Amino acid sequence: MQCAAYTGAMTAVEILLERHTDLIEYRTRKWEYSFVSMFVVTLAVRVMAGRLLKENG
């Protein structure tokens, strides 16, 4: 699924930034939370965009 691929790429970048820079610092949050939350948001946006395009197209 395309949403999972995009989310995986964004999460991978986030993990690299968190581990190798001081730009992101998590104390209790884990990468799984980021993956799930970004996946849900990405999927919701795609569903809404698809519905809007069907209605207006």
Side-chain angles (χ1 to χ4, degrees):
M1 182 178 234
Q2 198 172 20
C3 287
Y6 290 151
T7 303
M10 289 187 293
T11 304
V13 169
E14 183 178 318
I15 290 169
L16 290 172
L17 289 174
E18 195 270 331
R19 288 184 182 169
H20 300 291
T21 70
D22 289 331
L23 296 173
I24 303 171
E25 183 179 339
Y26 295 135
R27 294 189 178 114
T28 59
R29 187 173 174 173
K30 295 184 179 182
W31 69 267
E32 293 94 346
Y33 299 136
S34 293
F35 182 85
V36 170
S37 63
M38 283 191 279
F39 180 79
V40 169
V41 169
T42 304
L43 186 60
V45 168
R46 290 179 61 86
V47 168
M48 285 188 282
R51 287 184 182 173
L52 286 172
L53 289 173
K54 283 183 183 177
E55 290 176 7
N56 295 326

